[in-house]
Amino acid sequence: MFALSEEHRQIQDLAREFAREHVAPGAAARDKSGAFPADVVQQLGELGFLGMFVPQDLGGAGLDVLSYVLALEEVCYADASVGVIMSVQNSLAGWPILAFGTDEQKAKWLTPLATGERIGCYALTEPMAGSDAGAQQTRATPVDGGYRLDGAKMWITNGPQAGICVTYANLDVASRHKGVCAFIVDTTTPGFRVGKIEEKLGLHASGTCELVYENLFVPKEQLLHAERQGFQVAMATLDGGRIGIAAQSLGIAQRCLDLAVAYAKERKAFGKAIAEQQAIQWKIADMRCRIEAARLLTWRAAWLKGQGDRASAECSMAKLMASETANFCAYEALQIFGGYGFSKEYEVERLYRDARITTLYEGTSEIQRLVIARSTIG
Ligand code: CAA
């Protein structure tokens, strides 16, 4: 695939226009205040960007994974905090319900996610289950008509705002991943509460928190897929989530490159623009090469995931390359800006902080390498 179709180009243009006009202008202020961008999220819902895979008859846009990647990169180019809200809503909350839900579950839960009426989140990580996701300690106890959940999750993106939370809990902690079940939890249910809200290095406008489950009743109709199949739901969902973080990383990286080029053409040293100095030219060339390579991997992963194949290694390759590229480009852009890049007056300072999480969440770079190596070595 070397060129986008006309339809994909139109989606990219629409997202670019929207993001530059409506998302970018408030990004610096939101970074400072940490305010959740409720107005922008509502507009994303109206555009169909919160339910990109959800069929149109359920209120979504009914588009493919590549369309999602193209739109998400544009939103993240403007503000990566807004981008991760969109990414979690589509990839981590909506997708597992679409892929594993019954018709009744899809009809009930996907429309409010697609329209943005309710924010979605994905609750897998626990204090002692981060990279080792199979070590789930949150308990699911079977009771009449459903299950009782007890435990705590942490680092949950969209958690403070979420109305719908795809939650993983274990029927039998001793059997590790083989006891895990996935549940659709309505956060208005008694026994659910938002715990500690994290103060973070970057992505200030996206909420991240602890979630606490205390004797929370979930009806059996809200079990997603089958009992003890939750780990497969979690992992298949993360494959797609990693494509979303790759797209987010591309948006950050491209913004770094564009800002660095503009500045290098303007800033003079030793009697000429620094863009004419080879030291700067090589940085620009390396940034562009890495971005374009990561973008091709991301588009391929999106296409493969869209075919319905398991594409874990390809998703991990895209995420690894794109997230490391975002950090590389943020570092080099700041270097090109010199001391100005260290100042909060310049956008590269925010990009540098926002880029940092991309090699950590939805699987660290080390976990992506583990997935790729296992698939390569067998
Ligand atoms: N799709 C479907 N099934 C999968 C799968 C996939 N991608 N990956 C694994 N599985 C299945 C396996 O086939 C296996 O099934 P069986 O029991 O039937 O054999 C089962 O799951 C267990 O697989 P592994 O033996 O590979 O499991 P493991 O314990 O070695 O763990 C891991 C594998 C890749 C390390 C996994 O634990 C992992 O991805 N860890 C990282 C977790 C992560 O990314 N967390 C991010 C949290 S979410 C987040 O950040 C969201 C946010 O808020 C933005």
Side-chain angles (χ1 to χ4, degrees):
M1 180 207 319
F2 294 101
L4 295 176
S5 68
E6 189 50 36
E7 195 196 358
H8 283 128
R9 233 176 243 293
Q10 282 173 5
I11 290 158
Q12 189 181 44
D13 289 345
L14 171 72
R16 183 170 296 165
E17 208 174 295
F18 170 76
R20 299 204 183 171
E21 202 171 315
H22 299 282
V23 182
R30 289 190 294 266
D31 175 55
K32 213 166 187 178
S33 69
F36 182 78
D39 50 342
V40 176
V41 170
Q42 189 189 336
Q43 288 172 295
L44 287 172
E46 286 160 10
L47 276 176
F49 285 0
L50 296 182
M52 293 197 73
F53 321 126
V54 174
Q56 288 180 347
D57 61 353
L58 291 177
L63 292 167
D64 63 3
V65 188
L66 182 58
S67 304
Y68 163 62
V69 157
L70 296 170
L72 187 55
E73 178 180 339
E74 294 303 330
V75 171
C76 294
Y77 182 94
D79 184 350
S81 285
V82 174
V84 76
I85 297 165
M86 170 175 160
S87 179
V88 169
Q89 187 89 354
N90 280 280
S91 296
L92 299 190
W95 188 85
I97 299 174
L98 188 62
F100 297 101
T102 60
D103 287 346
E104 291 72 25
Q105 288 172 337
K106 290 181 200 174
K108 178 165 181 187
W109 303 100
L110 286 176
T111 307
L113 285 172
T115 57
E117 185 196 323
R118 301 187 85 182
I119 298 296
C121 72
Y122 170 94
L124 178 72
T125 304
E126 298 180 1
M128 291 310 292
S131 289
D132 184 6
Q136 297 285 304
Q137 302 286 315
T138 296
R139 301 295 298 260
T141 310
V143 291
D144 242 11
Y147 305 82
R148 292 262 170 207
L149 306 190
D150 287 281
K153 301 286 176 178
M154 73 183 299
W155 303 123
I156 308 305
T157 305
N158 288 355
Q161 294 80 26
I164 298 170
C165 177
V166 177
T167 300
Y168 298 88
N170 214 332
L171 278 176
D172 172 19
V173 169
S175 60
R176 286 183 43 98
H177 77 268
K178 290 189 190 298
V180 175
C181 306
F183 298 97
I184 306 169
V185 170
D186 182 328
T187 66
T188 60
T189 312
F192 180 93
R193 78 181 158 84
V194 170
K196 182 184 170 222
I197 310 252
E198 297 296 340
E199 285 183 37
K200 303 168 299 191
L201 176 69
L203 296 189
H204 288 166
S206 115
T208 309
C209 69
E210 175 193 29
L211 298 178
V212 182
Y213 302 77
E214 288 161 327
N215 200 23
L216 178 144
F217 177 72
V218 200
K220 65 180 186 327
E221 294 73 28
Q222 286 167 223
L223 172 73
L224 189 55
H225 199 21
E227 266 193 5
R228 296 177 181 270
Q229 293 301 309
F231 196 73
Q232 280 73 8
V233 174
M235 291 296 115
T237 301
L238 274 178
D239 284 346
R242 288 166 183 164
I243 303 175
I245 302 308
Q248 179 191 40
S249 305
L250 288 172
I252 296 171
Q254 186 66 52
R255 181 69 181 151
C256 287
L257 175 59
D258 291 354
L259 287 172
V261 168
Y263 183 77
K265 284 160 111 172
E266 187 183 283
R267 171 78 181 175
K268 291 198 170 53
F270 305 103
K272 56 183 178 185
I274 61 171
E276 290 173 43
Q277 318 274 7
Q278 195 179 49
I280 302 298
Q281 291 174 348
W282 286 22
K283 288 188 191 303
I284 301 282
D286 286 346
M287 288 163 84
R288 181 169 171 197
C289 275
R290 291 193 195 199
I291 291 171
E292 296 203 8
R295 189 176 282 125
L296 286 173
L297 281 175
T298 305
W299 288 5
R300 181 185 66 161
W303 180 79
L304 280 171
K305 183 79 179 163
Q307 302 303 299
D309 302 336
R310 180 166 162 183
S312 306
E314 288 79 4
C315 295
S316 286
M317 283 189 254
K319 204 261 183 187
L320 176 65
M321 279 293 290
S323 61
E324 295 289 345
T325 294
N327 280 275
F328 173 80
C329 290
Y331 182 93
E332 292 294 43
L334 203 146
Q335 194 68 18
I336 291 170
F337 271 75
Y340 290 111
F342 199 60
S343 160
K344 286 198 176 288
E345 274 177 44
Y346 287 81
E347 192 180 333
V348 288
E349 185 269 344
R350 184 184 91 238
L351 293 164
Y352 187 83
R353 287 183 288 104
D354 284 354
R356 193 63 190 86
I357 187 64
T358 62
T359 65
L360 302 171
Y361 62 12
E362 303 207 26
T364 59
S365 288
E366 292 71 20
I367 288 294
Q368 308 313 326
R369 288 188 175 94
L370 179 148
V371 171
I372 298 160
R374 280 185 183 175
S375 140
T376 310
I377 298 164

